[in-house]
Amino acid sequence: MSSYRIQGATGEWEVVIGLEVHAQVTSKAKLFSGASTAFGAEPNSQVSLVDAAMPGMLPVPNRECIRQAVRTGMAIEAEINKYSRFDRKNYFYADLPQGYQISQLYHPIVGEGSLHIEADEKAGIPEDKVIGIERIHVEQDAGKLMHDQHPTMSYVDLNRSGVALMEIVSKPDMRSPAEAGAYVRKLRSILRYVGSCDGNMEEGSMRADVNVSVRKPGEPFGTRTETKNVNSVRFVMQVIEYEANRQVDVLENGGSVDQETRLFDPNTGTTRTMRSKEDAHDYRYFPDPDLLPLELEDGFLDECRASLPELPDAKRARYETELGLTPYNARELTAEVETFARFETLLAATAKGIGKPEAEVATQVANWALSVAPGVMKSLGEEANPAHATAEAQASILDMQAKGEISGGQAKEIYEIVLKTGRDPGEIADSEGLKQVSDTGAIETAIDQIIANNEDKVAEYRGGKDKLFGFFVGQTMKAMQGKANPAVVNQILKDKLG
Amino acid sequence: MTELTNLGVKAIRDGVAGGDFTAREVAEAFNTAVAEAAELNAFIVTTPDHALAAADAVDAKRARGEALGAMGGVPIGMKDLFATRGVQTSAASHILEGFKPEYESTVSQNLWDAGAGMLGKLNLDQFAMGSSNETSYFGNVVSPWRKAGGANTDMSPGGSSGGSSSAVAARIAPAATGTDTGGSIRQPAAFTGICGIKPTYGRCSRWGVVAFASSLDQAGPMARSVEDCAIMLEAMAGFDPKDATSLDMPVPDWEAALSADLKGKKIGIPKEYRMDGTDEEILKSWEQGKEWLRDAGAEIVDVSLPHTKYALPAYYIVAPAEASSNLARYDGVRYGLRDLPDGAGLQDMYAATRAAGFGDEVKRRILIGTYVLSAGFYDAYYTQAQKIRTLVAQDFANAFGQCDAILAPTTPTASFPLNSLNEDPLTMYLNDVFAVPASLAGLPAMSVPAMLNSDGLPLGLQVVGKPFDEQGVLDVGLAIQQRAEFEAKPEKWW
């Protein structure tokens, strides 16, 4: 087993990582107001009286946001707290109209859970690992300040103010950038399966606070730093790499690590101090007196549980055991919602078209979905119209291939035309001559001709030079202009050559 | 014809409905009385046109033969803590001076829907923080009452709903809204010889009411009779999905069910309310109150509320803690006052705006609240105070095992001269010692005038009821009212 270690002057160091992931809850309205949450609207066009903290305005919890947090908790097999409460986190900032953020400090809605990451030797994860999750709580997002609109003033956009976030807090269970990367990817995948967060890191729907400390293996935890608002998997890994090495340098030069909040600069790949522990706010948390405790009823929990889809781990296991896919294919197909959705649609259509159980065509469909189809799409680049990549069209190609009507090469060619034009695959195969000849008469005629023209080679073959079989196949295919069904060619050649 | 301004809610509503006079005549009479009473400083803003428009709408309805509503034709005063669309809503503060909301509070909307009109926005202690109406940015309200032989000293109308109490006592409004966080309806009602009820927490929506302490704030009516309070509370109350702490219960027809017959009822007398320093005449009025209730058929029983003495200190932790957070939104960024000194950054703007925008008492409570919530002090103060709050509520629950309602004085003293207590905040805070426990427990509680003291100043009696039992409170209040026959009114000097 190879562990991630930092080689310092004084020996090896182990890195300890915990992540707080902020995930925007997928819901039409904000956590405590009816204002819209759509991304990219005109500044301050999605702000209710509550979001702007007008005098006398009151928060009312949005049931859908609570539901999504509970479903997420269930998806990571966490304890769901039937009693939870909202607290106010008090601080002044121009993007925080109320002067406090409504969050859950003392009684979060979701308690301890866990998440599995899979071994990936190439990525540096030697074995499967379970990462503990401490809690999930729901809270309000803040607004946004814009400093580039005016020479001396800052502008405030409150569209995000009050949008519901889930804060998913891991335990300090990760030991390498690769594990942290795998954790974020897996968490993102689960959130997207559940539909509780779109996982769009570019739009800020998901971002991580990265806690890093180092220690000599076997020693107690070191002092950690927290790097805020890191918004891609790659950056999370960069932060860890940089922070761990920086901390080792500090410690080996006789210094000590300050417990502080840091910022990541994606341009340089480095982190810098944002505020030290001494400057830390006293947030004066206390229960929000505008809100009653949340008490979840069994019926609500049952509904949440019943609404959960098949989750990545279960789906992957099923793909291997029931569909007979390789572990690699199963993992690749289940990583993203879009991928498995496309695969399952295509699998169903193909199985139906061919008239065989899904398990019998799954490998063919998986290979197509994972390598053939994306390869064609990629090679066409701009020329491909993704709208033409329908399940029906692809299923029809796979159907023809399974029946031996077209070869693998022809399947690709047909699919290219489909992607460019949207034409029907069957029609393309007919009109473009992209069909294999399985007509034994035509193939026999061609083979008879070849045998007649190559009597010397036939004699050699019959004399024991088996390798010449390939020569005959090649000649036949050439004569058939590449359109003969190889299986039929093989069979007839074997019969005739004896 | 009766002078219209002497009429209360019920008399006006019934008179308008019966055609004895028009709603417009009533509105005009009160608009005039308001205009003539500027010396009381009861109103921050007057809205005669609002009162007239509402009156005309009621008169038009009557002409069409339509129902006029529970408050049809009654012009009222609106405490300036309720957001009123297009009309300055200041909470008597500089920081909200000139703020005109684009929304209407649920309670005020309910009143307009019931046919009431608005005479104006009533003065109050700034952000409802005070017991004498001396913390208003717009100057103190003066009580219409004067001490007998008191050399015309201006007296406090109580607080924080001091504009409401002064206006109703002076007959420049037949009724007014109040809010009660730790006695802000009951204490001013007692000081000015009128009735006021704080319903069970959650009966009246807090939506659109400028928040002081969210877990305590409750709106309620202030009027000159128990019946008027019943009518107006019915119009104000009701479930509001916009307030997560609103009670999802039907509003009973309190007016119709009013009964002063207390046969079979037990009235509890809490022994802990007999405190050192309580005025002898107050104690006498309490004794008198017991007699009246006995006369109404009730049995008087002794009860104990052992944690009473901790209630006031706990209140002065919980209420400022919530206030310190609730008032954080007044930061000069989005509305209200903004003080932006030259070259100032964001933090400087906050400091300058809040320094200029808040009065001393508001700052004092923000400081107290910030302190008690701070790391290292939270458990010692806030957590302890919440435990006391639970114990106080438990005290009442135990007492209500032995009685149906509790009778106590509303205040430890009668009204005091303006500017006599403001050097000593603690003495001022003590004025709410009898009012605060019911607030902490969220119970319905009412003050009803009992008598005048030897200085010719009104004294009130307080009735505290079980949760949701406003009816029981109003019934006991009615029994007192019928026996006290409190007819005294301040002599007009303004």
Side-chain angles (χ1 to χ4, degrees):
Chain A
M1 176 186 139
S2 67
S3 296
Y4 179 84
R5 291 284 189 269
I6 298 207
Q7 303 298 330
T10 61
E12 288 196 336
W13 295 81
E14 185 184 42
V15 188
V16 176
I17 304 146
L19 294 175
E20 294 165 25
V21 172
H22 298 260
Q24 180 179 330
V25 176
T26 302
S27 70
K28 291 196 178 71
K30 295 181 179 179
L31 181 52
F32 295 112
S33 86
S36 166
T37 58
F39 178 78
E42 280 293 296
N44 294 313
S45 62
Q46 298 178 166
V47 185
S48 76
L49 296 168
V50 176
D51 307 322
M54 299 304 277
M57 290 302 101
L58 298 171
V60 176
N62 175 343
R63 184 184 172 90
E64 178 60 15
C65 296
I66 303 304
R67 183 174 166 272
Q68 292 289 34
V70 168
R71 294 173 72 245
T72 305
M74 288 171 168
I76 55 158
E77 283 151 31
E79 188 187 333
I80 305 301
N81 293 322
K82 291 175 81 174
Y83 174 97
S84 69
R85 224 173 52 184
F86 290 103
D87 302 300
R88 291 186 184 176
K89 177 181 181 179
N90 294 282
Y91 64 96
F92 283 93
Y93 204 54
D95 65 4
L96 189 73
Q98 295 168 130
Y100 55 83
Q101 177 196 31
I102 306 179
S103 181
Q104 297 188 304
L105 176 69
Y106 297 108
H107 299 278
I109 190 162
V110 177
E112 290 192 16
S114 60
L115 185 147
H116 302 252
I117 56 177
E118 289 93 42
D120 186 346
E121 281 287 355
K122 256 197 304 188
I125 304 170
E127 55 192 15
D128 286 5
K129 192 166 175 179
V130 176
I131 308 296
I133 289 177
E134 184 74 39
R135 58 188 282 164
I136 300 177
H137 63 257
V138 290
E139 62 186 23
Q140 294 176 302
D141 203 353
K144 192 173 77 177
L145 292 189
M146 293 175 283
H147 302 294
D148 54 359
Q149 310 282 311
H150 189 278
T152 60
M153 286 192 276
S154 295
Y155 281 34
V156 187
D157 175 8
L158 296 179
N159 280 354
R160 287 191 71 89
S161 167
V163 165
L165 302 177
M166 291 180 280
E167 183 170 332
I168 303 156
V169 183
S170 85
K171 295 190 173 177
D173 286 354
M174 287 156 276
R175 295 290 179 271
S176 69
E179 285 183 9
Y183 170 85
V184 174
R185 277 193 295 267
K186 185 63 178 288
L187 181 58
R188 182 173 176 275
S189 165
I190 290 175
L191 293 172
R192 287 165 49 78
Y193 265 62
V194 170
S196 59
C197 171
D198 67 20
N200 192 329
M201 298 187 89
E202 292 76 46
E203 291 178 4
S205 298
M206 207 178 144
R207 48 193 198 262
D209 297 344
V210 185
N211 288 279
V212 177
S213 66
V214 296
R215 64 174 175 185
K216 290 284 174 67
E219 288 188 359
F221 287 148
T223 305
R224 66 186 165 87
T225 62
E226 179 181 20
T227 304
K228 287 274 189 195
N229 278 333
V230 185
N231 67 352
S232 83
V233 174
R234 191 163 59 89
F235 292 161
V236 166
M237 294 169 69
Q238 274 184 27
V239 164
I240 296 164
E241 192 94 43
Y242 177 84
E243 260 307 286
N245 281 288
R246 186 189 69 82
Q247 291 181 16
V248 167
D249 280 351
V250 167
L251 293 170
E252 293 197 330
N253 287 311
S256 60
V257 174
D258 294 328
Q259 187 181 334
E260 60 182 3
T261 305
R262 298 179 69 87
L263 276 180
F264 177 66
D265 181 349
N267 297 318
T268 60
T270 61
T271 68
R272 62 185 154 83
T273 300
M274 182 174 145
R275 58 173 182 264
S276 67
K277 195 184 177 188
E278 290 72 44
D279 303 329
H281 289 113
D282 179 352
Y283 290 117
R284 290 169 285 123
Y285 278 99
F286 76 111
D288 192 319
D290 284 329
L291 294 162
L292 300 174
L294 268 184
E295 292 181 34
L296 306 179
E297 290 168 1
D298 290 333
F300 177 76
L301 296 179
D302 292 345
E303 185 277 316
C304 287
R305 202 175 295 281
S307 74
L308 285 181
E310 183 182 36
L311 293 166
D313 289 345
K315 194 179 283 292
R316 193 168 52 98
R318 183 171 64 83
Y319 280 12
E320 288 183 37
T321 56
E322 288 182 20
L323 298 183
L325 298 184
T326 62
Y328 173 83
N329 278 356
R331 190 172 71 195
E332 290 297 308
L333 284 170
T334 54
E336 288 289 344
V337 175
E338 290 81 359
T339 320
F340 87 68
R342 270 199 302 272
F343 169 70
E344 290 187 359
T345 313
L346 185 54
L347 178 61
T350 308
K352 193 177 163 208
I354 299 175
K356 283 184 178 171
E358 288 190 351
E360 285 183 34
V361 298
T363 298
Q364 186 202 357
V365 174
N367 289 334
W368 171 268
L370 281 175
S371 76
V372 181
V376 173
M377 180 78 83
K378 198 173 169 195
S379 70
L380 286 181
E382 296 275 302
E383 285 182 81
N385 182 349
H388 295 324
T390 61
E392 294 73 36
Q394 297 180 70
S396 146
I397 295 172
L398 288 168
D399 184 19
M400 291 190 283
Q401 198 185 348
K403 288 177 179 153
E405 294 169 12
I406 59 173
S407 67
Q410 286 169 330
K412 280 190 198 177
E413 284 182 59
I414 292 169
Y415 192 47
E416 273 186 22
I417 297 169
V418 167
L419 287 180
K420 286 194 224 169
T421 64
R423 283 162 56 193
D424 177 71
E427 176 268 319
I428 295 170
D430 289 338
S431 62
E432 306 291 333
L434 289 166
K435 272 199 156 172
Q436 298 193 119
V437 178
S438 299
D439 171 358
T440 48
I443 296 172
E444 274 184 44
T445 308
I447 288 176
D448 287 346
Q449 187 65 46
I450 288 161
I451 290 176
N453 292 347
N454 296 280
E455 282 177 5
D456 50 338
K457 293 213 163 56
V458 173
E460 280 182 50
Y461 176 80
R462 287 183 176 148
K465 208 169 175 189
D466 290 350
K467 280 183 186 168
L468 277 172
F469 190 74
F471 164 80
F472 291 108
V473 173
Q475 289 296 308
T476 310
M477 293 306 278
K478 194 174 165 193
M480 297 297 298
Q481 290 155 332
K483 292 175 188 168
N485 183 331
V488 177
V489 171
N490 283 353
Q491 193 55 51
I492 296 174
L493 272 173
K494 275 183 186 158
D495 292 347
K496 293 203 179 264
L497 291 171
Chain B
M1 176 174 149
T2 340
E3 197 170 339
L4 291 173
T5 53
N6 275 329
L7 301 180
V9 173
K10 186 177 195 303
I12 294 170
R13 179 196 67 185
D14 294 348
V16 168
D20 302 341
F21 38 78
T22 63
R24 175 166 262 270
E25 286 167 340
V26 176
E28 282 172 346
F30 279 104
N31 279 341
T32 304
V34 167
E36 287 172 359
E39 278 176 276
L40 297 176
N41 199 29
F43 285 90
I44 296 174
V45 169
T46 59
T47 55
D49 292 341
H50 189 291
L52 291 176
D56 289 345
V58 167
D59 287 336
K61 271 188 168 183
R62 185 171 185 278
R64 294 195 299 267
E66 295 170 17
L68 305 186
M71 296 284 292
V74 183
I76 58 164
M78 184 62 61
K79 187 177 182 179
D80 199 20
L81 209 57
F82 293 85
T84 43
R85 190 181 294 109
V87 178
Q88 176 179 286
T89 299
S90 72
S93 72
H94 184 36
I95 209 159
L96 281 179
E97 189 176 9
F99 173 68
K100 291 181 181 174
E102 290 177 21
Y103 48 94
E104 187 77 34
S105 80
T106 299
V107 162
S108 56
Q109 188 62 53
N110 287 347
L111 286 164
W112 313 150
D113 291 348
M118 179 165 68
L119 296 164
K121 300 299 290 288
L122 290 160
N123 207 344
L124 65 148
D125 278 302
Q126 196 170 135
F127 283 103
M129 297 176 189
S131 308
S132 64
N133 221 295
E134 292 167 299
T135 71
S136 168
Y137 176 73
F138 300 97
N140 55 262
V141 177
V142 182
S143 172
W145 291 90
R146 287 183 159 168
K147 254 185 187 174
N152 296 339
T153 308
D154 282 345
M155 303 298 289
S156 169
S160 65
S161 310
S164 308
S165 65
S166 180
V168 174
R171 272 79 176 157
I172 63 174
T177 54
T179 62
D180 191 317
T181 304
S184 281
I185 286 175
R186 290 160 286 159
Q187 184 256 22
F191 274 18
T192 55
I194 66 169
C195 297
I197 181 166
K198 175 195 94 71
T200 310
Y201 181 80
R203 272 285 188 209
C204 290
S205 169
R206 294 183 297 111
W207 194 87
V209 185
V210 175
F212 162 14
S214 313
S215 73
L216 296 156
D217 295 344
Q218 253 308 283
M222 299 171 74
R224 289 192 302 275
S225 75
V226 173
E227 295 90 332
D228 286 1
C229 282
I231 293 167
M232 187 162 157
L233 180 58
E234 222 172 291
M236 294 167 71
F239 174 63
D240 182 2
K242 291 188 287 188
D243 174 358
T245 62
S246 177
L247 280 176
D248 192 358
M249 294 174 84
V251 177
D253 189 347
W254 289 306
E255 181 194 8
L258 270 177
S259 161
D261 179 1
L262 302 184
K263 271 197 271 305
K265 298 284 181 195
K266 288 180 181 168
I267 303 297
I269 306 296
K271 62 176 190 224
E272 292 80 6
Y273 278 51
R274 195 168 281 277
M275 290 180 181
D276 290 344
T278 304
D279 189 302
E280 274 304 315
E281 292 192 273
I282 297 274
L283 295 175
K284 213 174 79 186
S285 74
W286 194 7
E287 289 303 316
Q288 181 62 67
K290 288 191 228 173
E291 283 309 312
W292 287 331
L293 296 184
R294 265 194 205 102
D295 183 59
E299 181 188 342
I300 303 296
V301 296
D302 286 328
V303 295
S304 176
L305 301 170
H307 297 91
T308 297
K309 67 176 169 184
Y310 303 113
L312 195 73
Y315 171 85
Y316 274 100
I317 290 168
V318 172
E322 293 183 14
S324 71
S325 177
N326 281 338
L327 270 62
R329 66 186 55 199
Y330 308 110
D331 56 8
V333 175
R334 299 167 311 287
Y335 50 80
L337 182 71
R338 170 184 287 183
D339 193 341
L340 185 64
D342 270 351
L346 183 63
Q347 296 297 328
D348 308 309
M349 183 179 92
Y350 288 150
T353 299
R354 291 165 66 82
F358 292 136
D360 287 348
E361 183 61 29
V362 174
K363 285 177 192 162
R364 178 179 294 124
R365 297 199 195 190
I366 290 175
L367 288 172
I368 293 171
T370 303
Y371 179 80
V372 300
L373 290 177
S374 298
F377 300 103
Y378 180 81
D379 283 334
Y381 290 101
Y382 188 80
T383 307
Q384 286 295 98
Q386 289 294 10
K387 287 181 187 165
I388 290 170
R389 191 170 181 180
T390 305
L391 291 171
V392 167
Q394 192 57 50
D395 280 357
F396 278 108
N398 293 341
F400 286 127
Q402 300 154 45
C403 65
D404 301 292
I406 285 169
L407 180 73
T410 308
T411 56
T413 66
S415 171
F416 44 80
L418 286 168
N419 305 313
S420 64
L421 291 183
N422 38 12
E423 290 304 306
D424 182 2
L426 284 184
T427 311
M428 187 73 85
Y429 293 173
L430 276 172
N431 221 270
D432 288 320
V433 68
F434 296 142
V436 155
S439 293
L440 287 178
L443 300 172
M446 176 170 208
S447 182
V448 182
M451 58 180 62
L452 295 182
N453 70 4
S454 52
D455 288 333
L457 295 174
L459 302 178
L461 281 170
Q462 181 180 207
V463 183
V464 181
K466 297 175 183 176
F468 324 121
D469 188 23
E470 285 80 7
Q471 190 70 61
V473 171
L474 291 162
D475 286 353
V476 175
L478 186 65
I480 294 171
Q481 174 178 288
Q482 287 178 355
R483 287 160 184 80
E485 295 180 321
F486 186 90
E487 301 284 325
K489 61 181 203 177
E491 225 162 288
K492 187 168 188 251
W493 51 264
W494 55 90

